[in-house]
Amino acid sequence: MNFGYYRPILQGFLFLFGMVHMTAGIALTVLPSSNVAVNQTMTLRCELEPNPTLPIVVYFEKRNSISSSPEILCSLEPQSGVCKNSADDCRIRYNASCPSDTLYIIQVKVLQTWNGQSISCRTVYTKSELVVISVKVPVTSVILTSTPSPVITEQQINLTCTTSYSSPPANITWIKSSVDISSQASYRTEENQGLHRTISSLLITVKKEDNRKQVYCIASNTPNVTVTSNVQELDVLYIPEVRTTTQSPYKVREGQTATLSCAVTDANPNTGITWRWSKTDSPNTALDTRASYTIPNIQRERSGKYSCTASNTAGSSVAVTIDIDVQYKPDVKSSTSSPYKIIEGQTATLSCTVTDANPNTGITWRWIKTGFPNTILHTRATYTIPNIQRGRSGSYSCTANNTIGTSEAATVYVDVLYKPDVKSSSSSPYKVREGQTATLSCTVTDANPNTGITWRWIKTDFPNTILHTGASYTILNIQRGRSGSYSCTANNTIGTSEAATIYVDVLYTPSIEERNVLVVNETERVTFTREIFSNPLSDVLWLDGRHLLESETSKTSETSVTTSFIIQNARCTDTKNFTIVASNELQRNVTSQVELIVNCKPMPDINNITLGVSDDTGFTFSTTVIAYPKPSYVVLFENSTNNNGIWDSMTVNTINNFTVHLNKTTVNQADYGIYLLNITNSFGVSTIHVYVVPQRKPNSPRIEKATCNINNAKIEWTSSFNGGVSQTFFALAILDQQKVTRSESVKDRGKNKIHYTELQNLQPSTKYVFYVVAKNKHGNSSSDKIECTTLQETNDQTAVVAGGVGGTLALVILIIIIVFLVHRRYTCICSIGFEKRNRDNPDKANQEASHYTTMAEQEQSERNMYDELSNSGNVNQYEAVLMKEREENTRVYEKLQHTNDKRDEDYQNVRTS
């Protein structure tokens, strides 16, 4: 704020409204003036001459007198237009400010004690003149006191008004009912610490007319500001005057409250009035001592004249009389006995009469049922209800009405008697598990009378047999034959209820009909049927082991169902236990076995087997046969009865599964050849050809597929007979009979098994010829060729392939030459051997070549539900052994791979010579 700009204006303002007290170099200005009202805020401005001497500290001081020591109100130091190092009283209490180095301001609230005290401001070098404060203290209260009242007419009363201390002394004015009576008063003042108190006294003589007039005084020591005292009301005593506010005659309805009232129209004192009410025919009996006499629930006998009087200290009033006329509604009574008992369907007659009324003319009637008060049933003294029903039971009331009101009701309870109503408190159908306790309950929902009830339980299909005579009927250990409808009836003195019926539904777990084993011939149509009993009905599953054959969901309401399963064409492998699973809400997975036996000729798991053996090692062979009934067998050598010293036996695995064991401890030249194992029962014969040959090189593998990528190819082939000794495989890639890549060696996984390998370092977009070579210690055999073209490389692969091809070129050329020579020799040998063998014994050659193919086809055709059952773990012993034996025989040539390979070669030479 630019204080210099406002300085001329401020100085002018101070000149007009303030008082400046100045000495050389410093001036104190008091705003608005040094004459202030108590508690008024006063602004003190201390102004120094320009360029005051440093340091600058301004002190505002207050003195009780000129000679007394000053009291410092506030000390101020300037700093850039604000005060520094100022105490909280200066900043907060006095709102101190330092607008400039020459101007300092505080604001103080002037207290009453400041009256006559001086204030000033100073620095360490100079001080202002003293300013004397004159504090105006307004009168704040004036109190009126008087002699005790009331007073009697013409007596005197002394009144006094006293003001609070004030400055200057206050003036007192007396007022009586708006009239100034100050001239009758006297005045005096008292002083204390410069303040004055005014005391005024007034002595007046009262008259009757002064009663209730108000006297008070007004004090003032400041223009236009007054203080009013408390008001004194004059109380002049005289006797009461009484009148009634109740019309006479006073008509009141019986039962209501009669209120008789009298009032004092004039009296003093008008407090402490005593009253007396009496009935004129009994004047000495005081009925009430209040201005109003209340007779609650007034009755007709209280009719008559009543008087009231009022008394105060001056005497008693003249009596006032009121005549009471009590009117009342009719009195009614029933002329029909209650309770009024009547049987449902009959006619009820109810009657009422009036016994008293005031007035007793113009009587009207009204009949209601108490539960329906707004429904008027009849308007005569007698009410008739024809063909009454139980719903009409209840209280009926009649009332009579005159001009005063309606009578109290006369009530007749109508009791309509009827036979019981019964309901079942058990749900229907009532479901209960077989063997548990069934509790059937009925309750009487309505009956009149509802005592002496007798019960009767029957089964609805045997109505003449009473099962029980209580409200609850208990059936212990209930069985399924107890299902059906049961009914209960209740009887009272009026009659028998309608029957309440409950259907009892006995629930029981599934049970499956048991039957003997079923024996059929192979290829016949087989139908299995079983009856399943349960409640609720069961869902049925037919299983072969864990394999679901058929499912049936019951949709009938019967308690039994016949389930069936059909095999259109029975096979030997269908000899097994099938499983029926029945489930309902009570029990899941109730099972039963259905046994089937299929008559069939022997069916071996393998028809041709080649055994590659070596000298003096012997051989052991077994095969599994399925047949029913149990077959017999014979081992023949070269179509003769001589079995060449082979030991044989048969093991019974299950009812239709058998294992034939052949064993020969030593083998010589004469033992090589074809053995025929003939297995026979009443349904046919099967022959197994066993070729005992010396060990030799493996049969040629069958290459199946070549899959070419950019730089490699995946080769898949099927293995053949290993020649009686373990074999390995490798694959070759040939390009223009110059470049060859060979795979790593692959181990044999078993005959007729799929094998695969990968050939690396091939050129993109190139057609290759691939071979697979089988090798054992007796020699090699090659597959037929298969061709495949590698894929075209992408741009980011060309450089990598080109570098790899150059690095392996020399090695590939060398391998191609070696393999080419070996392949020519192998092809030649194989061709000669097969041609000779086919000429000498074409059937045998075909059998040996097709042996594993035949086995594969056989496994394929017999992979049915029976196989799945054998893997499920839920089959009988002969089924599990059968499947285990079949799995072992698929690897039979592996068990025999250690036989003598030299005898095989000799045997071939003999057979082809």
Side-chain angles (χ1 to χ4, degrees), residues 205-372:
T205 300
V206 297
K207 298 181 179 181
K208 179 179 179 181
E209 292 77 13
D210 291 332
N211 188 43
R212 298 186 180 278
K213 288 186 178 180
Q214 293 181 339
V215 179
Y216 59 93
C217 56
I218 300 172
S220 175
N221 71 337
T222 302
N224 302 321
V225 178
T226 61
V227 178
T228 302
S229 72
N230 54 303
V231 176
Q232 175 69 49
E233 185 176 81
L234 300 179
D235 187 11
V236 180
L237 302 181
Y238 50 88
I239 63 175
E241 295 178 3
V242 176
R243 69 178 178 86
T244 180
T245 58
T246 303
Q247 183 179 3
S248 182
Y250 177 72
K251 295 181 182 291
V252 61
R253 294 185 180 185
E254 185 177 37
Q256 293 184 345
T257 298
T259 301
L260 309 180
S261 297
C262 285
V264 173
T265 60
D266 193 11
N268 196 20
N270 201 18
T271 59
I273 300 293
T274 59
W275 293 89
R276 186 177 185 275
W277 286 87
S278 64
K279 197 175 182 188
T280 56
D281 54 358
S282 304
N284 296 325
T285 302
L287 301 176
D288 204 343
T289 58
R290 291 170 294 182
S292 293
Y293 173 40
T294 299
I295 308 174
N297 189 26
I298 193 168
Q299 300 300 310
R300 59 196 70 182
E301 61 270 13
R302 299 298 296 272
S303 294
K305 297 182 181 297
Y306 292 79
S307 63
C308 66
T309 57
S311 300
N312 64 2
T313 56
S316 299
S317 68
V318 177
V320 176
T321 302
I322 304 169
D323 186 15
I324 296 179
D325 182 15
V326 179
Q327 297 184 334
Y328 47 91
K329 59 191 176 184
D331 288 341
V332 175
K333 74 173 183 178
S334 170
S335 53
T336 303
S337 61
S338 182
Y340 178 73
K341 294 183 180 294
I342 187 169
I343 296 176
E344 188 173 33
Q346 295 181 352
T347 297
T349 301
L350 311 178
S351 297
C352 283
T353 58
V354 172
T355 60
D356 193 9
N358 181 22
N360 197 13
T361 58
I363 302 295
T364 60
W365 291 91
R366 185 173 180 266
W367 283 89
I368 63 168
K369 194 175 182 189
T370 53
F372 304 92

Side-chain angles (χ1 to χ4, degrees), residues 543-563:
L543 299 177
D544 183 356
R546 292 184 180 178
H547 176 64
L548 177 64
L549 302 175
E550 189 170 320
S551 63
E552 297 179 6
T553 301
S554 177
K555 297 181 180 179
T556 69
S557 59
E558 301 296 328
T559 56
S560 67
V561 63
T562 300
T563 180

